[in-house]
């Protein structure tokens, strides 16, 4: 720490959130260990104490690791709805205000007297880095004060490589939001360039499954309303016979593979919350005209739509076989159906199941009856309803959370402390979770997609979702940038991968014993340690165990 009559500087872990008007009572963290192939983040928090009208500070790195270190400025965004009225006491605040969240590639920030600002430092050595200790010097040049300060952080790279991610992870990519925010036509040359940036960012932070809009996804859409058409599959109707063009879908798959995306999550074939209707599907007729053939006015069990699906799914499955991706494809029926729609959902599920040659079908739903009655084989319950599914010993279970999970469990609202975001890595390991789903990678719309929004100005879907739920990345002029929450969740995935490495070196029982003994209570999805110190110390311990067993 540096503290004088002009400014105060502290080195913090990634698990602290630096609010503008904080009192600065954080625990400093100026040393760390990491594995090869891991991303590690820390912060430099600064407060100008002298009564000067703003001071610009430029940061630079001096280290043998400088080639793999990048600097971001942490910027704050507004929230009118930090959480719902029903919440718990594990929030930083429940009051509206400005929240630190955006990470902007920038090495110069401006300090305002009496307010905290922070720089986010990301260290990401590859697997060839030498295993040893390194000094990382962050040099801060205070331009208006004509002075320079050096902050030293000690980094130790362990002689072990973080293994590849096994967890299947999807964060729903919303193509209409890309086109709307960037003012570009869907599937134009510029759109594909931007899409490449968004998918690349997703892959960089551990997302390996992409929501693929065969047709415009019937998600978060007002009944009778429409979202911008983003249909990948061309549908033709000639003399009453359907045929399909998969050229754009093929291009989409190639772009995903370029970015190391392995899994494809085909968009829902029925409307959200119960499968009442068909999604919007645009058809090109033999006279050259186009029309919306299906949509809200098409009952999901209508003969016209069910006949269409049988023809389409047969050709789609054949296409996945030709592309060599059949085993990596997943289908959706309807998102979050309730028990009152169970019969309608069952009909829709059976139709897809009978026509997809045994491919996997997944859906976010939390009522155990859907599984118990044999309606769905691969349910995705929310993490506050997962206990009953765990007790049933369902293998390869998935989980999700969204706006509804505001109490007890892990989530990533901006108003929540970062340890609550990161703890899920340990939980996913303990319960052998195969996949994680979240609906909001880049949802830049209001509730029910009534209008687009500027995510820098509206972070809560216009007071509909707690800020931090609808999106986890921010658009830029040329692409996309990270949020704190994206980085922290990726750190949770790295915790999971480190535990899997330790299991490979020892045994699952050995690792579970470490988890059980690391806290004075059993860690579950609803019960877990909440301090930054616990997570930081836990990872240090896991890293030590990995190195000890590698040496043996």
């Amino acid at each position: 720490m540096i503290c004088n009559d002009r400014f105060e500087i502290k080195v913090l872990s990634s698990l602290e959130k630096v609010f503008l008007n904080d009192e600065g009572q954080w625990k400093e963290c100026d040393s760390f260990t990491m594995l090869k192939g891991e991303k590690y983040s820390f912060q430099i928090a600064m407060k100008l104490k002298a009564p000067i009208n703003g001071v610009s500070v430029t940061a630079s790195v001096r280290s043998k690791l400088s080639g793999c270190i990048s600097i971001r400025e942490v910027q704050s965004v507004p929230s009118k709805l930090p959480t719902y009225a029903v919440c718990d006491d594990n929030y930083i605040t429940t009051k509206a205000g400005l929240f630190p969240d955006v990470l902007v590639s920038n090495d110069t920030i401006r300090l305002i007297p009496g307010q905290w600002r922070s720089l986010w430092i990301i260290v990401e050595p590859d697997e060839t880095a030498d295993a040893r200790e390194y000094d990382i010097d962050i040099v801060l040049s205070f331009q208006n004060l004509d002075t320079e300060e050096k902050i030293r952080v000690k980094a130790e790279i362990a002689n072990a490589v973080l293994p590849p991610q096994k967890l299947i992870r999807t964060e729903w990519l919303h193509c209409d939001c890309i086109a709307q925010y960037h003012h570009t036509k869907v599937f134009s040359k510029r759109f594909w360039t931007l899409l490449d940036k968004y998918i690349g960012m997703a892959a960089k932070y551990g997302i390996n499954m992409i929501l693929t809009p065969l047709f415009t996804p019937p998600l978060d859409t007002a009944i009778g309303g429409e979202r911008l058409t983003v249909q990948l599959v061309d549908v033709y109707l000639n003399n009453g016979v359907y045929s399909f063009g998969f050229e754009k879908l093929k291009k989409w798959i190639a772009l995903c593979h370029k970015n190391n995306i392995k899994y494809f999550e085909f968009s829902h074939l029925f409307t959200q919350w119960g499968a009442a209707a068909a999604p919007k599907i645009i058809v090109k007729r033999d006279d050259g005209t186009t029309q919306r053939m299906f949509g809200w006015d098409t009952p999901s069990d209508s003969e016209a739509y069910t006949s269409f699906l049988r023809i389409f799914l047969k050709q789609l499955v054949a296409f996945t076989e030709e592309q060599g991706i059949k085993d990596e494809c997943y289908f959706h029926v309807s998102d979050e159906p309730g028990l009152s729609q169970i019969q309608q959902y069952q009909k829709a599920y059976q139709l897809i199941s009978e026509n997809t040659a045994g491919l996997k079908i997944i859906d976010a739903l939390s009522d155990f009856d859907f599984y118990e009655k044999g309606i769905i084989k691969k349910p995705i319950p929310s993490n506050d309803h997962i206990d009953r599914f765990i007790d049933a010993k369902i293998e390869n279970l998935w989980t999700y959370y969204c706006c509804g999970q505001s109490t007890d469990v892990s989530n990533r609202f901006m108003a929540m402390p970062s340890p609550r975001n990161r703890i899920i890595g340990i939980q996913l390991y303990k319960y052998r979770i195969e996949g994680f789903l979240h609906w909001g990678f880049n949802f830049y719309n209001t509730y029910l997609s009534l209008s687009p929004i500027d995510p820098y100005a509206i972070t809560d879907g216009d007071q509909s979702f707690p800020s931090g739920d609808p999106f986890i990345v921010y658009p830029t002029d040329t692409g996309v940038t990270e949020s704190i929450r994206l980085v922290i969740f990726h750190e949770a995935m790295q915790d999971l991968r480190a535990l899997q490495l330790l299991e490979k070196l020892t045994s699952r029982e050995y690792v579970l014993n470490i988890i059980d003994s690391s806290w004075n209570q059993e860690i579950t999805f609803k019960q877990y340690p909440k301090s930054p110190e616990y997570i930081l110390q836990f990872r240090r311990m896991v890293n030590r165990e990995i190195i000890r067993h590698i040496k043996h």
Side-chain angles (χ1 to χ4, degrees):
M1 182 179 77
I2 296 174
C3 186
N4 54 43
D5 59 351
R6 294 189 293 178
F7 45 76
E8 189 172 354
I9 306 172
K10 294 187 176 185
V11 182
L12 309 176
S13 78
S14 62
L15 294 175
E16 304 288 358
K17 289 189 177 181
V18 179
F19 285 73
L20 302 181
N21 296 316
D22 260 320
E23 296 183 4
Q25 302 300 312
W26 310 287
K27 186 172 182 179
E28 292 198 75
C29 182
D30 59 1
S31 65
F32 62 87
T33 66
M34 64 186 301
L35 305 183
K36 296 180 180 183
E38 187 169 10
K39 291 184 181 69
Y40 189 93
S41 297
F42 64 92
Q43 299 178 79
I44 306 294
M46 293 170 276
K47 182 174 77 171
L48 181 63
K49 298 169 71 175
I52 304 173
N53 291 328
V55 171
S56 293
V57 183
T58 299
S60 59
V61 180
R62 296 175 187 169
S63 173
K64 291 186 176 180
L65 290 174
S66 59
C68 59
I69 296 176
S70 56
I71 300 174
R72 310 284 197 279
E73 175 190 359
V74 180
Q75 294 184 353
S76 296
V77 288
S79 171
K80 293 181 180 178
L81 182 66
T83 186
Y84 294 135
V86 177
C87 60
D88 55 36
D89 60 0
N90 189 19
Y91 283 77
I92 300 171
T93 180
T94 58
K95 296 180 180 179
L98 293 173
F99 290 77
D101 195 53
V102 192
L103 298 181
V104 178
S105 183
N106 186 18
D107 60 7
T108 299
I109 62 173
R110 188 168 177 80
L111 302 184
I112 304 298
Q115 294 183 4
W116 285 97
R117 298 288 192 274
S118 66
L119 290 171
W120 192 277
I121 317 297
I122 301 179
V123 185
E124 42 187 331
D126 61 24
E127 298 178 2
T128 65
D130 292 334
R132 64 181 185 85
E133 288 191 352
Y134 294 86
D135 290 335
I136 300 176
D137 291 335
I138 307 297
V139 181
L140 304 172
S141 299
F142 293 77
Q143 296 170 4
N144 303 46
L145 299 179
D146 194 29
T147 188
E148 188 175 274
E149 296 289 345
K150 182 175 72 174
I151 305 296
R152 173 160 290 180
V153 176
K154 297 277 189 182
E156 180 182 1
I157 298 179
N159 192 25
V161 177
L162 195 70
Q165 182 176 309
K166 294 180 181 178
L167 182 85
I168 303 174
R169 179 184 169 201
T170 179
E171 308 266 350
W172 287 350
L173 179 74
H174 299 272
C175 290
D176 60 333
C177 295
I178 296 175
Q180 288 164 175
Y181 183 87
H182 294 278
H183 304 290
T184 191
K185 186 178 179 181
V186 175
F187 304 134
S188 65
K189 182 178 180 181
R190 182 165 178 257
F191 175 87
W192 285 105
T193 299
L194 288 164
L195 182 66
D196 187 19
K197 301 286 184 63
Y198 277 79
I199 293 177
M201 179 65 74
K204 182 178 180 180
Y205 285 93
I207 295 163
N208 53 16
M209 172 184 270
I210 292 293
L211 181 65
T212 300
L214 302 174
F215 309 117
T216 301
L219 299 168
D220 298 282
T221 308
I223 295 176
E226 289 188 11
R227 291 177 66 169
L228 182 65
T229 300
V230 292
Q231 180 174 318
L232 278 172
V233 177
D234 291 319
V235 182
Y236 304 97
L237 183 60
N238 296 312
N239 297 319
V241 178
Y242 287 109
S243 60
F244 305 94
F246 294 108
E247 291 77 15
K248 288 195 289 291
L249 179 56
K250 187 175 181 179
K251 185 174 181 178
W252 175 282
I253 292 167
L255 184 62
C256 288
H257 282 161
K258 169 185 174 256
N259 286 291
N260 296 315
I261 297 294
K262 183 177 181 180
Y263 301 99
F264 297 90
E265 177 188 14
F266 293 143
S267 55
H268 302 69
L269 295 171
F270 298 89
T271 51
Q272 196 170 22
W273 304 309
K280 177 176 71 171
I281 297 178
I282 304 300
V283 173
K284 299 180 181 180
R285 288 187 168 275
D286 47 11
D287 61 3
T289 61
T290 61
Q291 74 170 94
R292 180 181 62 78
M293 181 64 70
F294 305 110
W296 282 111
D297 53 352
T298 309
S300 58
D301 58 356
S302 67
E303 178 59 30
Y305 186 55
T306 55
S307 296
F308 168 86
L309 274 185
R310 290 188 185 99
I311 298 166
F312 169 66
L313 290 174
K314 181 178 180 180
Q315 294 194 33
L316 177 64
V317 170
F319 173 79
T320 65
E321 292 173 340
E322 292 169 7
Q323 296 295 308
I325 62 169
K326 181 180 176 183
D327 292 340
E328 287 73 50
C329 292
Y330 290 69
F331 283 87
H332 279 300
V333 180
S334 173
D335 185 47
E336 294 186 317
L339 280 178
S340 61
Q341 299 98 24
I342 194 167
Q343 291 182 342
Q344 188 68 53
Y345 180 90
Q346 184 175 19
K347 281 197 239 176
Y349 184 98
Q350 287 177 342
L351 177 63
I352 296 177
S353 179
E354 291 168 358
N355 291 278
T356 51
L359 269 71
K360 294 173 281 288
I361 303 173
I362 57 174
D363 270 319
L365 51 83
S366 294
D367 288 302
F368 188 72
D369 285 14
F370 282 85
Y371 176 78
E372 189 173 41
K373 295 178 184 298
I375 295 171
I376 186 170
K377 295 179 180 178
K378 207 167 186 63
I380 306 180
S382 59
N383 60 342
D384 60 343
H385 286 84
I386 198 173
D387 290 350
R388 193 171 179 191
F389 294 81
I390 291 173
D391 292 342
K393 301 188 185 314
I394 301 174
E395 294 185 356
N396 302 318
L397 189 60
W398 286 46
T399 192
Y400 82 100
Y401 57 62
C402 62
C403 56
Q405 286 62 58
S406 60
T407 61
D408 299 331
V409 293
S410 174
N411 209 321
R412 59 188 188 212
F413 301 163
M414 291 181 193
M416 291 177 171
S418 286
R420 186 167 183 168
N421 182 349
R422 185 166 165 179
I423 193 66
I424 200 168
I426 298 173
Q427 296 167 332
L428 295 177
Y429 174 83
K430 180 175 179 180
Y431 293 101
R432 294 181 182 268
I433 301 302
E434 180 185 62
F436 178 85
L437 176 150
H438 194 281
W439 76 283
F441 183 68
N442 65 319
F443 184 74
Y444 307 143
N445 286 336
T446 60
Y447 176 63
L448 296 180
S449 301
L450 299 178
S451 62
I453 56 98
D454 175 358
Y456 291 93
I458 299 174
T459 59
D460 51 21
D462 196 17
Q463 304 173 70
S464 298
F465 316 103
S467 295
D469 185 48
F471 54 85
I472 201 168
V473 294
Y474 289 84
T476 66
D477 289 344
T478 58
V480 64
T481 194
E482 302 102 327
S483 68
I484 287 175
R485 295 166 294 112
L486 174 71
V487 176
I488 297 300
F489 195 96
H490 184 253
E491 291 182 350
M493 301 302 95
Q494 293 182 151
D495 295 341
L496 169 62
R497 292 158 65 188
L499 291 169
Q500 290 168 341
L501 173 59
L502 183 57
E503 176 183 324
K504 185 176 181 181
L505 294 168
T506 56
S507 67
R508 178 166 173 80
E509 291 70 25
Y510 189 92
V511 179
L512 288 175
N513 183 60
I514 286 177
I515 293 173
D516 291 341
S517 62
S518 67
W519 196 46
N520 57 6
Q521 300 179 60
E522 181 186 7
I523 294 177
T524 67
F525 277 102
K526 292 184 178 179
Q527 179 178 277
Y528 48 87
K530 297 176 173 63
S531 71
E533 291 73 30
Y534 168 83
I535 290 178
L536 296 172
Q537 292 171 7
F538 181 82
R539 263 311 301 271
R540 283 181 181 270
M541 175 179 63
V542 170
N543 288 353
R544 286 197 302 267
E545 286 288 314
I546 288 171
I547 297 308
R548 184 167 73 87
H549 285 88
I550 284 179
K551 288 181 178 179
H552 286 106

